[in-house]
Amino acid sequence: MLAWFLFLSITVSVVVYAVWVSPSRTFLFLNSISKSVKNIMGWGNIYRRRMKVFTAALIIYLDYKAVQQRGKWTSKSKRNALWEKAHERNAKRVLSLIIKLEGLWVKLGQYLSTRADVLPEAYISLLKQLQDSLPPRPLKEVCRTIQKEFGKSMDDLFAEFVEKPLATASIAQVHRATLLNGQEVVVKVQHDGIKAIILEDLKNAKSIVNWIAWAEPQYDFNPMIDEWCKEAPKELDFDHEAENTRTVAANLGCKKSPGESYSSNRVNVLIPEVIQSTKSVLILEYMDGIRLNDTASLEAFGIDKQKIVEEITRAYAHQIYVDGFFNGDPHPGNFLVSKEAPHRPILLDFGLTKKLSSSLKHALAKMFLASAEGDHVALLSAFSEMGLRLRLDMPEQVMEITSVFFRSSTPATEAQQNLKSLAEQREKNMKAIQEKLQLNQKEVKRFNPVDAFPGDIVIFGRVLNLLRGLSSTMNVRIVYMDIMKPFAEAVLGNINKTPAANAQWIYNTPVHSDVETKLRQLLVELGNNDKILGIQVCAYKDGEVIIDTAAGVLGRYDPRPVQPDTLFSVFSATKGITAGMLHWLVDNGKLKLDENVANIWPEFRGNGKEHIKVHHILNHTSGLHNALADLRGENAFLMTEWDACLKLIEASQPETEPGKQQLYHYLSFGWLCGGIIEHASGKKFQEILEEALIRPLKIEGELYVGIPPGVEARLANLTLDTDDLKKLSEMRNRAEMPSTFQLNNISELAEYLPAFFNMLNVRRAIVPAANGHCSARALARYYAALADCGVVLPPHSSASNPPLGSHPHIPKFPSKKTDEKQKGKVDGGVKNERSDGRQNIYIRIEEDDDDEEKCSKSSRDTSKGGGPENKKGKIFSNPRVHEAFMGVGEYENMCLRDGVFGLGFRRLKSKDGDGSYSGFGHSGMGGSTGFCDVKNRFAMAVTLNKLSFGGVTAKIVELICSELNLPLPEGLSGSGDINRPLIN
């Protein structure tokens, strides 16, 4: 129950909190205030108001501390009654203080009166009278203000003026009246002298917040009070309020003419028409309505409270996300419900409004949708766009906090449990911060995770809290994610996602060839047909770049353009990269293709896996195709745990005899290869990736298996082509796929994959079968090098900007620890002990001209830009490495005859060819792909973020091959063949 005290003392006066945590500093501070105020204005009004706040807060503090101590010696049955009486006493004290102080403190009381989700009932029931039932100002004062503002007598203005006010609030009171023309109106009259009081209170609040920020850095409320100081004085100008009222009414379509069209997200609310205004008086159309706190009348009229609050929420969602102009003060006193059916909410009081820039409006919509979909990358992008900077990299906690921000409201009856769960969640998050930053208890209490807080979102946060409090007060449950989502989608749905709406849809890079010109025309056509969201295509011919195109946007709710260095999740296209790493270790003498995996990886031995060889893994014939099939559903996040997945592999059992049946190892392939790579090399997976491929190919920063922190701004967000998903019913099961990866499984995977792989903690995981992130130009350069027997080509096209390889590549990921036996170095290499007693000697290859002569003529043809001048320009020395990739020639006996896979790659035949294999590559779920045609020295890659079953990719491949007069590769073309989707 002490939580109530903490909440109250901070909100009533942060001074009390300061006394509690640092008494000496507090009294020094108050003493300095006292001296300065005496010097400037004697014992003036500001000082008297401060001392009233401090005295009341101290009494409340001591009362709750006494109750806390008594509660230790009281039975549980009596303890609740003890606290309830304390709440009643102190709620009366707070109300009495606020009524005496008026001004800004009434605004605070109004805010607290709406927070039935976090405050005890005693406070809510008493403070709600602050919404419109304050003691009225004298009629004489009211009439004097009206006559002064309009320069006319009351008789010259009104046929009738009702003396008793309809409502009295913090800044003004409202009277009913009749104009000379007979129109019924309400007259809102500002309290005399209230402006000076409000401005004084703002200064007081600012000084207290400044001191708290000095004494307790983790409680720096300066951005909030600064925003409040900027916006609150605007409420004192009723001409400003009149204009705001007209603007919101027009935005919400409250005055549309009969027959005028409405938007799909129309809201059904009423707003009074402005009749006349001055700085201190506002005359509005009279609307007969029921107050939200008048429960008896609401029930008598048969009004559905749930429906009313939902419509109010929709109205605010429209104001925030669609209009970017919203009322910042939605407490219950600012709403009525019309007595006439259909009963509609009446929105009042637009003194405090907030106008959002277009960019901030988009960022807030993105933040909401990212939270709704669990998209960490989009959430961090939204934070960046709105200027919110954090001091730590903990995306999971950030997502949790944001989800709490948009959580469903709870009825007041569940307030205590709700507060308890929020406190537990906060404690959990603080513990996570403490562990990550290795802080002690004192340090974590002083730690402020926010580095920069944009003042523009302060009022936005206040509105959400007030709406949540409103629904709790009305005892209804509002699911904000469902109600607000259509409005957030509407603002981001209008971004320029298609070429027809965006002249810059194709990113502005030079055209390298005539075929690239025709490709861009095709992309525009596909984009206008809503088949492309964001895409990159890069192709090499004879060692030179002939295509390097980026087009579209980063995500469904992210209008930033796809650029050449954008990183796409390429799913199973990652397998081609992982396979290349394993071949690199073979090429460097670290292991052999016909070696038993258990000799390299001792823990792998057992459960019938003793005879599984490396080539069985690469050829998808190990029998372990379903080894990690359970990594879905409840176990999905286990996929992000490297060591746990390796242990599952070690405990797995083959379902078929090694080498007898080829069944796609859709998940297990990556960890099987990853375990072999780490055990054979004695290094981490990421170290080998960088050493074998990234640095030699000069593709730093554009190819990762598991992204590092710092690249989030370049990530494309995944979405699903739902039209393609519907085509699954027309497809047939495929023999080369395991039982757990057939149509029903693929349908299930396709629906959750975008959301799952958009999560930042998943994107950061090392999943060697499915979690590659790369640009098309990096992937194409990889395959172009493989097409030339591993020859590293000259630098990528200088027309690309930023240049390929210009980003820093700093992977820092946990992986298997290096064994002590694997640390010995011999002759510039790495020496480690094998389970069979032999030694592995990793020698950096000294290449010579004889090896180059053994490779294909195409890779020596430097006149076409393909060959190196020395052997340091190669990543493979094996002259028959192509045969190894495709599983032909001397490697034929390592592959299942007529299987679709060679050794780690899908082998490709030319359509209408002689039946021989012409190339190899790998595609991923969704359509991203990379491949090469060895015979024609051609390589290309496609990366995209709108996941389909390969129709877009197939059309691109068909166009390019046709224009270059190249044979179409089977399996990567044939866009009309619904039964051969690109999923591996």
Side-chain angles (χ1 to χ4, degrees):
M1 301 300 290
L2 186 59
W4 301 127
F5 150 68
L6 290 175
F7 183 86
L8 182 67
S9 25
I10 289 174
T11 51
V12 173
S13 173
V14 288
V15 174
V16 174
Y17 176 77
V19 173
W20 183 42
V21 296
S22 186
S24 59
R25 287 186 177 184
T26 301
F27 288 112
L28 284 172
F29 171 70
L30 289 174
N31 187 50
S32 67
I33 289 177
S34 172
K35 290 179 179 178
S36 61
V37 172
K38 286 179 184 177
N39 291 337
I40 297 172
M41 53 184 298
W43 289 90
N45 189 45
I46 293 178
Y47 185 70
R48 288 197 299 271
R49 290 171 67 82
R50 287 184 180 180
M51 292 311 298
K52 284 180 182 178
V53 171
F54 173 77
T55 302
L58 186 59
I59 291 171
I60 292 169
Y61 169 78
L62 295 174
D63 190 354
Y64 275 120
K65 288 297 290 183
V67 171
Q68 183 188 32
Q69 294 301 317
R70 286 179 60 191
K72 294 177 180 179
W73 310 103
T74 307
S75 65
K76 189 175 181 180
S77 59
K78 295 181 180 180
R79 198 177 302 153
N80 288 338
L82 197 66
W83 280 101
E84 286 177 9
K85 288 181 180 179
H87 293 326
E88 289 174 5
R89 286 194 304 273
N90 291 311
K92 289 177 182 177
R93 286 169 176 150
V94 171
L95 178 62
S96 174
L97 175 69
I98 289 174
I99 289 174
K100 289 177 183 177
L101 295 176
E102 296 183 325
L104 199 63
W105 294 102
V106 175
K107 284 290 182 186
L108 172 63
Q110 290 173 341
Y111 176 78
L112 294 177
S113 73
T114 69
R115 298 312 308 273
D117 53 332
V118 293
L119 274 178
E121 171 58 28
Y123 287 90
I124 304 303
S125 59
L126 281 172
L127 296 181
K128 67 182 181 182
Q129 64 185 279
L130 296 173
Q131 294 167 10
D132 53 28
S133 302
L134 285 171
R137 293 294 181 97
L139 180 64
K140 184 177 180 180
E141 175 188 314
V142 172
C143 293
R144 184 171 64 245
T145 300
I146 293 173
Q147 291 174 156
K148 177 183 176 182
E149 289 294 304
F150 289 107
K152 296 180 181 180
S153 68
M154 296 293 287
D155 292 338
D156 290 336
L157 292 168
F158 306 106
E160 181 182 1
F161 189 89
V162 179
E163 295 184 7
K164 184 179 179 180
L166 290 171
T168 303
S170 58
I171 291 177
Q173 66 189 44
V174 178
H175 291 259
R176 190 170 174 180
T178 305
L179 297 179
L180 298 178
N181 62 6
Q183 183 178 3
E184 292 192 55
V185 297
V186 293
V187 184
K188 181 177 179 179
V189 184
Q190 191 173 121
H191 298 322
D192 189 28
I194 194 65
K195 183 174 182 179
I197 293 174
I198 291 288
L199 294 178
E200 283 180 3
D201 288 342
L202 287 172
K203 291 177 183 177
N204 292 348
K206 176 66 175 171
S207 64
I208 293 172
V209 165
N210 283 338
W211 182 82
I212 288 294
W214 167 72
E216 298 295 320
Q218 74 273 29
Y219 294 107
D220 185 359
F221 301 111
N222 268 298
M224 300 165 195
I225 195 64
D226 289 345
E227 180 70 7
W228 194 258
C229 288
K230 183 175 72 173
E231 297 294 335
K234 296 177 183 177
E235 285 193 89
L236 302 170
D237 183 350
F238 286 0
D239 277 332
H240 181 73
E241 180 177 344
E243 187 58 35
N244 293 342
T245 305
R246 295 187 186 99
T247 300
V248 175
N251 289 342
L252 297 182
C254 297
K255 295 294 181 180
K256 284 188 178 291
S257 305
E260 191 173 348
S261 62
Y262 288 95
S263 68
S264 58
N265 285 324
R266 176 201 174 187
V267 294
N268 198 10
V269 297
L270 299 171
I271 295 177
E273 182 182 359
V274 175
I275 307 300
Q276 197 172 356
S277 69
T278 69
K279 290 285 185 182
S280 301
V281 180
L282 177 61
I283 302 176
L284 299 166
E285 167 191 10
Y286 171 74
M287 287 186 171
D288 194 13
I290 306 166
R291 300 196 179 282
L292 294 186
N293 59 11
D294 188 352
T295 305
S297 295
L298 292 174
E299 291 178 355
F301 278 84
I303 292 171
D304 185 340
K305 293 192 292 183
Q306 177 77 29
K307 189 174 181 181
I308 291 297
V309 179
E310 284 182 358
E311 201 59 33
I312 289 172
T313 305
R314 293 182 75 251
Y316 271 83
H318 194 292
Q319 291 175 64
I320 293 167
Y321 295 119
V322 178
D323 308 324
F325 187 81
F326 61 94
N327 180 359
D329 201 18
H331 66 76
N334 286 341
F335 300 101
L336 299 173
V337 180
S338 63
K339 291 182 177 179
E340 295 183 3
H343 305 292
R344 291 183 284 175
I346 302 172
L347 277 55
L348 307 172
D349 192 349
F350 294 89
L352 178 61
T353 56
K354 181 66 183 176
K355 183 173 179 60
L356 303 174
S357 65
S358 177
S359 60
L360 182 58
K361 183 175 72 171
H362 282 107
L364 288 174
K366 186 194 289 190
M367 178 177 73
F368 177 87
L369 293 168
S371 177
E373 299 188 5
D375 187 341
H376 295 76
V377 173
L379 181 64
L380 294 179
S381 171
F383 282 178
S384 176
E385 289 171 25
M386 67 178 65
L388 177 60
R389 295 198 308 272
L390 304 177
R391 288 195 173 98
L392 71 172
D393 177 40
M394 297 183 69
E396 294 84 1
Q397 278 68 36
V398 172
M399 178 60 73
E400 285 182 9
I401 292 169
T402 311
S403 298
V404 167
F405 195 55
F406 294 113
R407 71 189 184 279
S408 300
S409 67
T410 53
T413 53
E414 301 175 18
Q416 188 170 346
Q417 183 59 39
N418 180 53
L419 190 65
K420 182 180 178 182
S421 65
L422 290 176
E424 290 174 351
Q425 184 62 53
R426 183 181 184 278
E427 185 177 349
K428 177 184 173 184
N429 288 333
M430 292 307 293
K431 186 176 180 181
I433 291 173
Q434 183 177 5
E435 291 175 355
K436 183 176 180 69
L437 300 181
Q438 298 181 337
L439 303 175
N440 59 37
Q441 286 294 118
K442 185 177 181 180
E443 289 171 333
V444 77
K445 285 181 179 180
R446 294 179 63 84
F447 179 73
N448 185 351
V450 178
D451 184 46
F453 190 90
D456 282 341
I457 67 172
V458 170
I459 306 299
F460 169 75
R462 168 188 161 85
V463 165
L464 286 185
N465 281 331
L466 283 171
L467 289 175
R468 185 172 291 106
L470 172 65
S471 62
S472 294
T473 302
M474 299 291 286
N475 213 34
V476 298
R477 190 183 305 275
I478 300 297
V479 183
Y480 294 104
M481 290 294 186
D482 292 344
I483 294 177
M484 290 184 158
K485 188 174 183 179
F487 298 93
E489 286 182 327
V491 63
L492 290 181
N494 293 329
I495 63 177
N496 299 327
K497 293 189 293 187
T498 63
N502 183 2
Q504 303 300 317
W505 190 79
I506 299 282
Y507 192 72
N508 186 23
T509 52
V511 176
H512 295 79
S513 61
D514 291 340
V515 66
E516 186 167 22
T517 300
K518 294 182 180 180
L519 168 69
R520 293 185 177 189
Q521 292 171 354
L522 173 64
L523 296 182
V524 167
E525 178 186 336
L526 292 169
N528 284 327
N529 290 331
D530 200 27
K531 303 306 294 181
I532 292 175
L533 183 62
I535 194 169
Q536 296 168 328
V537 182
C538 184
Y540 281 77
K541 182 70 174 73
D542 297 325
E544 294 182 343
V545 177
I546 60 168
I547 295 172
D548 190 7
T549 289
V553 296
L554 289 184
R556 207 168 100 185
Y557 305 125
D558 193 337
R560 291 177 297 156
V562 172
Q563 299 184 34
D565 62 340
T566 296
L567 300 175
F568 285 80
S569 179
V570 295
F571 293 101
S572 284
T574 312
K575 290 183 176 70
I577 298 164
T578 301
M581 294 165 61
L582 204 152
H583 279 286
W584 184 84
L585 289 174
V586 172
D587 196 69
N588 283 272
K590 290 291 288 180
L591 72 154
K592 297 179 180 179
L593 291 172
D594 61 356
E595 190 167 7
N596 287 338
V597 175
N599 289 343
I600 307 163
W601 181 359
E603 296 85 356
F604 184 81
R605 191 184 306 277
N607 294 328
K609 300 194 295 293
E610 293 82 0
H611 302 296
I612 295 177
K613 299 182 183 297
V614 174
H615 66 78
H616 292 141
I617 303 296
L618 289 170
N619 193 230
H620 298 267
T621 56
S622 74
L624 297 172
H625 42 277
N626 288 326
L628 297 176
D630 290 336
L631 291 188
R632 293 186 304 204
E634 295 181 2
N635 295 320
F637 286 102
L638 190 60
M639 191 185 304
T640 65
E641 301 292 335
W642 175 263
D643 290 333
C645 290
L646 290 185
K647 288 186 181 301
L648 287 176
I649 290 292
E650 291 166 2
S652 64
Q653 184 173 353
E655 297 180 21
T656 59
E657 183 181 347
K660 296 299 183 182
Q661 189 175 0
Q662 189 176 82
L663 290 167
Y664 183 44
H665 293 34
Y666 59 100
L667 268 181
S668 57
F669 180 90
W671 283 290
L672 285 165
C673 290
I676 294 171
I677 288 168
E678 289 204 343
H679 282 82
S681 68
K683 296 186 177 183
K684 295 180 180 181
F685 181 90
Q686 297 284 15
E687 290 180 276
I688 296 300
L689 173 61
E690 185 173 354
E691 184 177 351
L693 305 179
I694 303 300
R695 288 202 303 265
L697 294 174
K698 297 179 175 58
I699 53 176
E700 288 89 344
E702 292 194 31
L703 195 156
Y704 295 99
V705 179
I707 63 165
V711 302
E712 294 84 1
R714 292 193 286 128
L715 293 177
N717 294 317
L718 300 167
T719 189
L720 182 66
D721 188 332
T722 53
D723 290 337
D724 255 28
L725 189 63
K726 296 173 185 176
K727 297 176 183 178
L728 273 177
S729 59
E730 304 173 38
M731 299 181 187
R732 295 191 299 269
N733 284 339
R734 294 170 58 178
E736 74 271 22
M737 296 297 172
S739 59
T740 56
F741 202 63
Q742 292 295 341
L743 290 183
N744 58 326
N745 311 106
I746 294 172
S747 176
E748 176 188 332
L749 280 171
E751 289 184 339
Y752 92 83
L753 275 180
F756 184 72
F757 276 89
N758 276 336
M759 299 177 73
L760 195 55
N761 58 327
V762 175
R763 287 184 183 255
R764 289 180 175 177
I766 306 170
V767 186
N771 205 27
H773 288 76
C774 62
S775 63
R777 63 184 186 176
L779 189 59
R781 184 169 174 81
Y782 169 62
Y783 275 101
L786 298 189
D788 275 5
C789 281
V791 172
V792 177
L793 303 175
H796 190 76
S797 169
S798 59
S800 292
N801 190 29
L804 178 59
S806 61
H807 289 285
H809 190 91
I810 313 173
K812 293 182 180 179
F813 298 92
S815 188
K816 187 174 178 64
K817 294 180 180 179
T818 303
D819 194 283
E820 290 299 323
K821 295 180 180 179
Q822 298 173 336
K823 294 182 178 179
K825 293 186 178 180
V826 177
D827 297 331
V830 176
K831 173 183 177 181
N832 59 52
E833 297 293 333
R834 301 281 289 270
S835 61
D836 57 5
R838 293 181 290 134
Q839 291 183 343
N840 258 345
I841 305 289
Y842 163 37
I843 304 295
R844 288 180 173 82
I845 301 300
E846 296 297 330
E847 299 162 341
D848 55 39
D849 293 338
D850 290 339
D851 285 334
E852 185 175 344
E853 291 299 324
K854 294 176 183 177
C855 201
S856 63
K857 180 178 184 297
S858 60
S859 67
R860 305 194 314 264
D861 191 356
T862 57
S863 65
K864 295 183 178 180
E869 293 183 2
N870 58 66
K871 301 311 282 180
K872 290 184 179 180
K874 293 184 66 176
I875 56 176
F876 291 103
S877 62
N878 181 2
R880 288 177 291 277
V881 70
H882 291 153
E883 293 182 3
F885 296 153
M886 293 185 283
V888 297
E890 68 177 62
Y891 301 92
E892 186 174 2
N893 63 340
M894 294 184 178
C895 296
L896 197 69
R897 181 180 290 275
D898 297 326
V900 297
F901 293 103
L903 293 179
F905 298 88
R906 177 165 183 158
R907 42 193 185 185
L908 305 174
K909 294 180 181 178
S910 300
K911 277 191 171 184
D912 304 323
D914 58 5
S916 63
Y917 296 110
S918 60
F920 53 90
H922 219 297
S923 299
M925 173 84 76
S928 292
T929 191
F931 75 95
C932 62
D933 180 336
V934 176
K935 293 181 178 179
N936 292 286
R937 290 189 74 206
F938 172 73
M940 70 171 289
V942 177
T943 54
L944 40 75
N945 60 352
K946 189 165 191 176
L947 308 184
S948 67
F949 291 114
V952 169
T953 304
K955 288 180 179 179
I956 291 170
V957 172
E958 288 172 354
L959 172 73
I960 294 173
C961 288
S962 174
E963 291 297 319
L964 296 175
N965 199 26
L966 298 175
L968 288 174
E970 286 186 354
L972 291 174
S973 58
S975 54
D977 186 359
I978 193 66
N979 291 304
R980 304 300 302 181
L982 294 181
I983 60 173
N984 56 58

